[in-house]
Amino acid sequence: MAVEKTYYITTPIYYVNDVPHIGHAYTTLACDVLARFKRLDGYRVHFLTGTDEHGQKVEKAAEAAGIPPKAFTDKVSVNFRELAEAMKFSNDDFIRTTEDRHLRSVQAIWKKLLDDGHIYLGSYAGWYAVRDEAFYTETELKDGPNGTKTAPSGATVEWVEEPSYFFRLSAWQDRLLEFYDRNPGFILPESRRNEVVSFVRSGLRDLSVSRTTFKWGVPVPGDDAHIMYVWLDALTNYITAVGYPDTQSEIFRTFWPADLHMVGKDILRFHAVYWPAFLMAAGLEPPRRVFAHGWWTNEGQKISKSLGNVIEPRGLVEKYGLDPVRYFLMREVPFGNDGDFSHRAMINRLNGDLANDIGNLCQRVLSMIAKNCDGRVPDPEGKEGPTDAALLARAAAMLPKLREELDTQSFHNALGTIWDVIGEANRYVDSEAPWALRKTDPARMGAVLYTLAETIRQIGLLVQPFMPDAASRILDQLSVPRNARDTAAYTAGRLVPGTALPKPEGVFPRFVAEEAGEGA
Ligand code: ME8
């Protein structure tokens, strides 16, 4: 039997102190695209997302809402589930850190770390930022307004003094550096990797992993005056979801170590320093990769609730449609860089790349076939020429290129690769002028339209992970069977001349701005 190819991909689990916004949708979307591509490419995929429900930040949000924390998290967590549905995310699991399976898992990892001497009891005196749920040293702090100090992220800090358990992080410095050295692809992009390496080189202090001054969290086994530090609790979700502590289970053996933890750059340190150290200390393998993507702003401004400029993904989807929003987010910004959302940029992509490029290509080819070829896949009738072969070779080269690009999370380049072929196909339509061949050489017209239909089939197939609905409409219009839409069918499943096609319909209408000033 062939060896099964597997792929385990995770999003951060989101804090339930807030409603989901475009940033959350972005991270999960990137994972969804990869999960869908890997499934298409024959992998058994496990795609995990969920919510992070413990800690002081969530406790405070519940207090502010005047609801007990459990009831509050039940309510807010649903928003993230609904976001997943609205965006058609194909996650296989949705974890909540308040579930029993997670409690069992976090307590098990704690016991393992304690029994093996990686955790000791001491006391913490230092700065804490509730917004980041992170401890900071004096030297890390920045000057804030009115002579105050803030965390590097700008979050307010408070002085904390309390008994605390510590994880011996200082003991892991050399092993972490060695691990980064042996696994150059562990942290991407490269620039972020360098930041992490220099942080670890500058020396690691032991990490406080329990708190005693509030209650909303997982109790420390055997010492329930303490609750576990929310990041130890949260990071462990990635192994809970594959069955930890049952490391012999089929799911754990199949999927651990994870292939990719996708995160925003704000939480890279937790994933690339603390998490591999916890795992190695617990005798488990670290994940294969952590990718830290960039940060979105809104029309040039930081996105924040207090500025009142939070972009709600659902509103965008209602306005522009789901596929255009998915396309825009994956195409607009080189993945890894920061990006700016603007309606003008969104409309330009919609009308340019979608309506003009792919939309027109499909529209003109399919309607010419409907009119001139009796609504059936045309027959090339031995009239193929070198220009047809050249276009088909360009199309065939997309798949291996996409595999490489998606394996380095280069979503924008993957779309660029597909859109290069779309551009090529549109130029081919113009230069071959099949409408003129109708009278002069109908057999040659058949060969040209066949070449185009076949190119569109390959484009449609590869667009599926990015725009599942539009892709399926394209493939339906070419009567591509449902079971011939994976990469195995890429070269093996060429269109069969004579196959009846449904009546063509437009795939990407142009967006017409209703209000002045919206651009277009
Ligand atoms: O940090 N641009 O949860 P969180 C791009 N619970 N991405 C953004 C963004 C923006 N403006 N804003 C948020 C936590 N994100 C922890 C994670 S994991 C074990 C625990 C995305 O709700 C980005 O992925 O604050 C960022 O890392 C994440 O949301 C932070 O979500």
Side-chain angles (χ1 to χ4, degrees), residues 13-15 21 23-24 27 52 231 238 264 266-267 293-296:
I13 47 171
Y14 304 109
Y15 287 127
H21 67 66
H24 306 117
T27 316
D52 186 355
W231 272 101
Y238 300 131
D266 55 326
I267 55 174
H293 67 64
W295 212 242
W296 282 91

Side-chain angles (χ1 to χ4, degrees), residues 490-507:
Y490 195 71
T491 39
R494 290 185 66 155
L495 292 173
V496 180
T499 307
L501 302 178
K503 194 167 169 288
E505 52 179 59
V507 181

Side-chain angles (χ1 to χ4, degrees), residues 152-200:
S153 63
T156 310
V157 290
E158 59 193 50
W159 183 258
V160 169
E161 262 185 66
E162 59 189 357
S164 176
Y165 285 92
F166 285 84
F167 173 75
R168 287 184 208 281
L169 186 63
S170 56
W172 289 91
Q173 180 174 357
D174 292 344
R175 276 171 286 187
L176 281 169
L177 290 170
E178 205 180 292
F179 173 71
Y180 303 144
D181 226 38
R182 268 189 287 119
N183 300 279
F186 174 63
I187 302 167
L188 283 186
E190 182 83 22
S191 57
R192 302 258 167 243
R193 174 178 195 274
N194 299 339
E195 284 168 23
V196 169
V197 170
S198 55
F199 171 74
V200 174

Side-chain angles (χ1 to χ4, degrees), residues 365-378:
V365 170
L366 290 166
S367 55
M368 275 190 275
I369 292 176
K371 261 192 232 136
N372 305 313
C373 310
D374 192 25
R376 292 176 184 278
V377 172

Side-chain angles (χ1 to χ4, degrees), residues 198-260:
S198 55
F199 171 74
V200 174
R201 268 211 197 108
S202 72
L204 295 174
R205 288 169 309 122
D206 289 352
L207 179 72
S208 167
V209 286
S210 76
R211 305 282 315 268
T212 51
T213 45
F214 67 97
K215 280 278 157 241
W216 182 236
V218 178
V220 164
D223 190 354
D224 59 15
H226 292 252
I227 62 150
M228 285 182 213
Y229 176 39
V230 66
W231 272 101
L232 173 57
D233 169 349
L235 289 161
T236 305
N237 92 88
Y238 300 131
I239 52 176
T240 303
V242 289
Y244 189 79
D246 189 358
T247 53
Q248 292 314 304
S249 58
E250 197 265 344
I251 186 167
F252 194 91
R253 286 189 294 129
T254 304
F255 289 114
W256 195 259
D259 293 278
L260 177 62

